[in-house]
Every structure is written in structure tokens, then in C-alpha cells.
Amino acid sequence: MRWRAALLGLVTTAIAVVLIVLAVLCIPGLSYLAAFPHIFTGKVIGPILERLPYTLELIGVSFLVASVLAFGCVQFSIRTLKPLATFLAVVLRCVPFFWLAMVLQLVFAILGGFQAGKTSGSDRFDLVDHLRYLAGASGALTLFQLPSLIEYFNKRLAVCAKGRNNFAASILSGLAVQFAENLPDVITATIITELVFAWPGVGRLLYSGDGNLSASLPTGILLFLALLVLAVRFVTEAFARSPDEGASDG
Amino acid sequence: MAKRAGLAIMFVMLAVVLVLSYSPQIESAANAIDQANWQGYPIPPCFIDAKMCAGHVLGTDENGRDMLVRLVAAVRLSLGVPLLAAILELIFSLAFGILARREGLFAKFITMRLVDALSCFPAWPFILVVTVFASSGQRASLAPAVIAAITALLFSHPVTQEVAASRNVRDAGRVALNASSRDWVRILLLIATLDYFGFGIQPPTPSWGNMLANMQSQMTIAWWVAAFPAACLFGAALAIEVTRRRFLA
């Protein structure tokens, strides 16, 4: 029953997503609707699939690092200074992310030897360079994801302390739900990071593709990102059990 | 009672700042170049070099325009557009939420699917694509009210869900107010990011986001050009967030 409901939700929401994309495509004129079928040709889907691993790598690495950091931060602050983690979360939430990324990029340029004009993904780019750029870009994205994860762990630990739920059992499913909820914001931050750090992900493709108004490329990226979020939400809804659900059961 | 008084004071202060930023003197002074003292590079703030600053308390930008006046003038759009977006989000999510509470599967199902679908789109690329399409490929921007409306629609999902699940209309209103004020900070920073990348408010009209547009090249030469608008953004976001946590959460 749960599967059927989730599947019905997935299909109908996907239809609504496609309709919204069609509406966006109509903004310059109804004739632009002809560009929609081109989204599914190799010219558009090819570059998107080529760049997607870079974007997913960035999101995945930063999420893992942010989760570990947030957990450590909450544990540490509970043992020493209780409001420290909350304070950190509030401050990080209020810092303009593009500014933070830009400052970090400058710091990495000075300390890590980032070279102007040399972008990750180019021919002269070896594994060491890749890891160095990944460290810089994922560092910025980690700081973006940290506040929501700190707040999540703070809430989980409070529930655990009241004995209403088993923290260890719900941590993974809870993190998955948290990840799915925040994914659109994380994608936005990833695109900004890709632009600032010259990371060759989907975001850079979107930014470079917008100027000449090749309508199918930006629309395709938009559709693809929305369907990606939808798929992640479907998987978490179908497989991961919400921690609040567990708490109420307990 | 103290909470309500504090909240009222906060809103009165915000209204005063917004009204000040609308004053014609501020508006005209914001784009005035200091022809007498500007020599092609930013003039430093008075606390760095009292002789060189020529009366510009926070220095000037790279074009010789007074930073302090521009920061005050930027309040109007930098805070006003996100405030409008938060109010629209409140209205949209209340409308969607009340529609979703109605009897009948059709209204509830359609409304929630539409809101679900809108929440799947990352806000920044969505607005970027809409802006580029609406301006026929030119780097122009949408009207701030349109940006506010799109942002409000994209962010209305969690609030709509909470409103739909709340017990009565009064509860729904309280929940929606809290959630919209929570999103005000998100919208403030999102719109600043749009301005920074050139898809929001266009220069010479000042906004804290577009004042940072040249910060990459200026950061090592004139740090104040990159620091003060960012500090204003951070300060405004922090004030809103702390007030929300103290009075509404």
C-alpha cells in the first residue's frame, strides 16, 4: 500500500514537473515548445550525463563530510558547551553562501595553488589536481550543509535522550530523509560552488549554456535536476523510515 | 506580552529603515560619483585613513560612489523583495494548504502534487532559466516582484504541508507565519545570490548582492568593497533569524 501510494505520487508529480517545464519553455514564445523533444536527444542529454558524475561526486563527498562533522560537533558541544552547535548552525545559516565560497576559493588559491584558467576536467588535469579541487569545492559545500545537519543531530539526540527512540537505528534513515528534503537547496549551492571553483559539473553547463539561448539545454538541465530530486525523494519515501515515524511508534 | 512588544519594535525599526532607504536624497546620492577625490581606485574608509577618506565614512566603491549611502539605499530592494516574497509565500501556502484541507480527493491531490512538483526545482537555476527566457537571452532581469512571486511558489511546499496538517485555521495561520519568517532568511540570501551573478537587480540600482559583483577582483585591493555589503547581508539575516527564534518559534 505504501509502495503504491509512493509510486502514484511519483508518477503524478513527474507529470506536474514536466508541465511546469513546458510552461517555462513557453515564456519566450509558444514556438519554443518545439525545443522540448530535443531535450531527449544526445546533444542535450549527452553533456548532462557526462557532467553529472562530477556534480554527484561533489554532493556526495560534502554530505558525508558534513554529516561526520555535524555529528562530532553536536556530540562535542553536548559534553562541553551546550549551545555551541546551535550557535554555529545559526551563524553558518546566515552567511551568504556565494561570499563564503568566494572567500574560500581565494584562500585555496593562495594556499592550495589553484591556477586561473586551469579547470578540473581539462586534459592536463591529473588525479592529484582533481582531489585538490574536490577538497576546495566540497569544503565550501560542506559548510553549506552543516547547519541543517547540526540541527538534525541536535533534534535526534534530544529524542534519544528522552528514550523515545533508538538513535543508532534511526540515524541512517533519518539522514536519508534529511538529505532528500534539502536536496534542491544543496543543488543550488552545488551550482554556485561549481561556478566559483570552476568545477565541471551540471551547474557550469547550465551557466555556459544560458547565454546563447539554446532553449533545450537549460530546460533539459532543469527537468533533469527536478526529476533527480523527485527520484531521490521517492527512494527515501519508499525505503527510509522517517525518524519521527519511529519516535511515534516507540 | 514582552514577546509581542519586542516583535512590534523589530517591525517598526524595519519600517523606519525601509522608509529611509526610499528617501529621494538617498536615492540620488547613491549613484553620485565623488569627482573631486576619486582617482580611479576605491577611497578607503575613515577608520583606515582619516586624511584620504574625504568624508566617506565607509570609503567608496571602485567607481567612487559612497559605500554608506549605497548600503542604506540598498536596504529597499535587498530587504524589501525578500520581505515581499515571504509575504507572498505566506499567502500562497495558506491558500494551497486550505485548498488541500478541503473535502474531496481531487482538490487535495492536485494541489499537493502541484506543490510537490514545484518543490523539486532548485530555486536558483529555475529563476536563472526563467530570467534568461523572459529577457530573450539578454542579461536583463525580471521585475523584483516577479522574482519574489516565483521564489514564494518554489518555497511554499513545507509550509503548505504544515498548514494542511494543522488542526484549525488559527493554527494554520500561526504555523504559516512561523514558516514564512523562517524562509525570509533563505529568500534574502537567494535573491542576493541572483543579484551577485547578474540575474537580479541590475546596477546602478544598488543591492547588497550586486554591490559584491566585483568583489573577486577587489578583495585583495579594497577589502571593504567585499566586506561591508556581505556584513549587511549577514547582519540582516542574523537579526531576522534571531528574532524569529526568540519570538515566533
Side-chain angles (χ1 to χ4, degrees), chain A residues 119-144:
Chain A
T119 58
S120 41
S122 66
D123 292 341
R124 295 175 293 135
F125 213 74
D126 60 16
L127 184 65
V128 178
D129 278 339
H130 181 83
L131 291 177
R132 216 170 51 188
Y133 271 71
L134 179 65
S138 63
L141 204 52
T142 298
L143 289 178
F144 178 81

Side-chain angles (χ1 to χ4, degrees), chain A residues 52 55 60 73 88 101 141 150 162 236:
Chain A
L52 193 65
T55 301
C73 194
L88 187 67
L141 204 52
I150 285 176
K162 285 179 188 168
T236 50

Side-chain angles (χ1 to χ4, degrees), chain A residues 51 105 114-122 125 133 137 191-201 204:
Chain A
R51 304 282 188 109
Q105 197 267 347
F114 279 21
Q115 291 170 24
K118 187 179 183 181
T119 58
S120 41
S122 66
F125 213 74
Y133 271 71
I191 292 173
I192 293 165
T193 309
E194 285 172 3
L195 295 178
V196 171
F197 282 86
W199 186 258
R204 261 181 84 82

Side-chain angles (χ1 to χ4, degrees), chain B residues 203-217:
Chain B
T205 308
S207 80
W208 293 332
N210 71 21
M211 284 173 76
L212 288 166
N214 296 324
M215 77 173 211
Q216 210 167 9
S217 58

Side-chain angles (χ1 to χ4, degrees), chain A:
Chain A
M1 194 62 193
R2 183 178 170 159
W3 268 91
R4 281 176 63 186
L7 203 61
L8 182 65
L10 174 79
V11 173
T12 46
T13 311
I15 292 169
V17 163
V18 172
L19 290 176
I20 292 169
V21 168
L22 284 172
V24 168
L25 205 49
C26 285
I27 292 172
L30 281 176
S31 60
Y32 277 74
L33 277 177
F36 187 73
H38 296 299
I39 290 174
F40 306 101
T41 60
K43 276 185 181 173
V44 174
I45 208 105
I48 294 175
L49 291 178
E50 195 181 298
R51 304 282 188 109
L52 193 65
Y54 288 98
T55 301
L56 294 182
E57 182 185 16
L58 201 55
I59 293 174
V61 169
S62 61
F63 182 71
L64 283 177
V65 176
S67 301
V68 173
L69 278 178
F71 182 67
C73 194
V74 171
Q75 282 284 34
F76 173 75
S77 73
I78 279 177
R79 285 184 190 154
T80 53
L81 193 64
K82 208 174 176 187
L84 184 70
T86 313
F87 172 76
L88 187 67
V90 171
V91 168
L92 277 177
R93 195 180 283 278
C94 296
V95 176
F97 177 68
F98 66 93
W99 185 85
L100 189 67
M102 203 65 85
V103 171
L104 277 178
Q105 197 267 347
L106 191 73
V107 170
F108 274 98
I110 294 166
L111 300 178
F114 279 21
Q115 291 170 24
K118 187 179 183 181
T119 58
S120 41
S122 66
D123 292 341
R124 295 175 293 135
F125 213 74
D126 60 16
L127 184 65
V128 178
D129 278 339
H130 181 83
L131 291 177
R132 216 170 51 188
Y133 271 71
L134 179 65
S138 63
L141 204 52
T142 298
L143 289 178
F144 178 81
Q145 301 196 51
L146 211 48
S148 60
L149 289 170
I150 285 176
E151 280 179 2
Y152 163 72
F153 279 118
N154 255 337
K155 217 185 283 179
R156 280 300 83 217
L157 281 179
V159 172
C160 188
K162 285 179 188 168
R164 287 168 59 200
N165 201 1
N166 183 352
F167 179 72
S170 65
I171 184 170
L172 279 178
S173 56
L175 264 180
V177 172
Q178 181 76 17
F179 177 72
E181 276 174 13
N182 288 343
L183 193 55
D185 282 353
V186 172
I187 289 176
T188 290
T190 308
I191 292 173
I192 293 165
T193 309
E194 285 172 3
L195 295 178
V196 171
F197 282 86
W199 186 258
V202 176
R204 261 181 84 82
L205 188 65
L206 176 72
Y207 199 74
S208 57
D210 70 351
N212 52 11
L213 198 68
S214 52
S216 50
L217 184 63
T219 321
I221 292 172
L222 208 54
L223 178 67
F224 202 81
L225 292 177
L227 291 179
L228 182 74
V229 173
L230 190 57
V232 170
R233 283 186 179 168
F234 169 72
V235 171
T236 50
E237 200 176 317
F239 289 101
R241 194 172 189 217
S242 162
D244 295 329
E245 216 175 294
S248 60
D249 290 352

